Amino acid sequence: MTGSLQSLLMKAKPFLGHELASFPWRVEEGQITQFRNSLLVDGADFISKREIPLTYSMSMNLWGIPHLQLLKNIGLDTNYLVHGEQSFELIKPLLVGHSYIISQILSDLLLKRSSKFGHMLLLTIQSVISDSQGTIVIRQNHTSIQLGKNE
Amino acid sequence: MNKKLEGVDSQKNFKKGDCAIERQIGPINLQNNVRYAGASGDFNPIHFDHDMARSLGFPGVFVMGMLPGAILGEFAKDWLSPLIIKYLKFRFTDKIWPQEMLTLGGEIVKDHSSSTPLVEADLWMKTSDGLIKIMASCTAFYPDSIDKKYP
């Protein structure tokens, strides 16, 4: 499988630094309620019923078509994708009812071996979320890990 | 002893070594996974389809990392309130299985309040037998510093 991960790495390299098509996203009250409610596992009564969860913006990435298209173009097996490191710079709060533009770039690629998960290909998407005035409100990095099979 | 900052909420002045009161959550079950998948846009079937997960060599479905990650972020927000989290980073160190009970904790690791109105904290999520599943870190600013000198 290392060979096929190596082959994926070679396929992904031309996309490194490539800016994906930006797309709009309107923050809707219903989405926020669904997202917040999905976090209410037993014992998580500290979750605010009023505020937008801090990590909601990552779901804006996941719903984005350009991101999914990139993964397809590289030939990743999305059944074998798990989350790697995720980071957020929360410059200004998202506001319900407001529209934002999401710009993304494939910012890093790394083939590595972990004692727990075997060989892995790490892909990091850097996203910038801007408001309608063009002011950056969030910067975030989302690393996906393509696990190797039969490792 | 920390010098009191002008305008800083006098009720909470975090110091290095301060710890959050640990909270236990879970287990995160299949229904939680499905709800989070629908809310977040992460539709990887290894998180809700047992047959698919087994066919890929896993013993069964496992929890999607950003579901407990999001909960850990909200835990930090609740603990550090009224400070405002501006930077947040997650690292997933092991898979979380649906039957596991999870403990959330945090500790202030850097206290800049004598000069800069922010604190840095480590956060974690671990199983009842102490196995760390998620490591995270955050930087939080005292509210009166926002929109003044700091971003």
Side-chain angles (χ1 to χ4, degrees):
Chain A
M1 185 60 201
T2 316
S4 52
L5 285 180
Q6 188 72 46
S7 151
L8 284 173
L9 175 66
M10 297 312 290
K11 284 177 80 174
K13 272 189 175 171
F15 295 99
L16 190 59
H18 177 73
E19 198 169 318
L20 310 184
S22 57
F23 61 96
W25 185 269
R26 184 178 160 85
V27 176
E28 303 282 3
E29 180 72 48
Q31 298 157 7
I32 299 300
T33 303
Q34 285 182 8
F35 188 87
R36 187 193 294 124
N37 287 350
S38 76
L39 307 181
L40 294 174
V41 308
D42 286 349
D45 54 7
F46 45 80
I47 292 176
S48 165
K49 292 177 178 59
R50 294 176 293 106
E51 296 170 36
I52 298 178
L54 294 172
T55 59
Y56 166 76
S57 56
M58 198 56 79
S59 74
M60 295 157 79
N61 266 15
L62 295 173
W63 284 108
I65 300 299
H67 177 204
L68 293 175
Q69 193 59 52
L70 172 71
L71 301 183
K72 273 187 181 176
N73 289 345
I74 294 172
L76 298 180
D77 180 350
T78 53
N79 291 332
Y80 259 95
L81 273 185
V82 294
H83 289 297
E85 190 170 284
Q86 316 283 313
S87 65
F88 302 80
E89 183 186 358
L90 305 160
I91 301 162
K92 287 176 179 280
L94 292 173
L95 301 171
V96 170
H98 286 234
S99 293
Y100 298 90
I101 297 291
I102 302 160
S103 308
Q104 298 170 313
I105 189 169
L106 177 62
S107 60
D108 199 18
L109 284 168
L110 179 65
L111 189 61
K112 66 180 274 192
R113 192 177 198 299
S114 135
S115 55
K116 278 183 188 156
F117 302 114
H119 286 99
M120 313 183 292
L121 177 61
L122 282 66
L123 303 93
T124 302
I125 302 275
Q126 190 178 74
S127 302
V128 172
I129 300 175
S130 305
D131 66 15
S132 56
Q133 313 298 313
T135 303
I136 295 173
V137 295
I138 295 176
R139 287 193 189 93
Q140 56 193 19
N141 289 304
H142 165 70
T143 298
S144 295
I145 300 177
Q146 177 81 83
L147 298 175
K149 298 170 187 169
N150 307 318
E151 287 293 316
Chain B
M1 186 172 168
N2 291 322
K3 185 172 69 179
K4 187 175 181 302
L5 289 162
E6 188 183 348
V8 164
D9 184 320
S10 58
Q11 293 183 326
K12 276 199 177 177
N13 199 355
F14 291 96
K15 299 177 193 70
K16 184 180 176 184
D18 285 354
C19 289
I21 296 170
E22 288 193 331
R23 299 292 301 268
Q24 194 171 56
I25 63 156
I28 299 177
N29 59 32
L30 190 59
Q31 185 186 40
N32 299 131
N33 264 0
V34 171
R35 289 185 76 159
Y36 186 77
S40 71
D42 181 350
F43 294 109
N44 190 329
I46 53 176
H47 299 303
F48 53 80
D49 182 336
H50 281 293
D51 291 339
M52 168 67 81
R54 289 189 191 111
S55 76
L56 296 173
F58 301 108
V61 298
F62 53 96
V63 174
M64 43 190 60
M66 276 311 290
L67 165 52
I71 295 171
L72 188 55
E74 296 309 293
F75 167 78
K77 186 165 76 179
D78 180 62
W79 169 42
L80 296 171
S81 174
L83 277 69
I84 297 166
I85 294 176
K86 287 289 194 180
Y87 301 95
L88 185 59
K89 184 186 272 193
F90 299 96
R91 196 162 58 83
F92 304 97
T93 55
D94 206 351
K95 292 186 182 68
I96 296 175
W97 303 101
Q99 69 277 12
E100 290 180 315
M101 292 299 292
L102 300 159
T103 301
L104 290 68
E107 180 178 0
I108 303 293
V109 292
K110 283 187 186 168
D111 164 13
H112 300 274
S113 356
S114 58
S115 54
T116 312
L118 61 85
V119 297
E120 294 177 36
D122 281 348
L123 308 162
W124 57 84
M125 186 176 283
K126 63 184 180 183
T127 59
S128 47
D129 51 0
L131 184 63
I132 297 283
K133 299 287 185 164
I134 303 177
M135 291 295 299
S137 58
C138 71
T139 303
F141 285 70
Y142 285 89
D144 285 358
S145 67
I146 306 290
D147 293 326
K148 288 185 180 170
K149 187 175 174 185
Y150 301 94

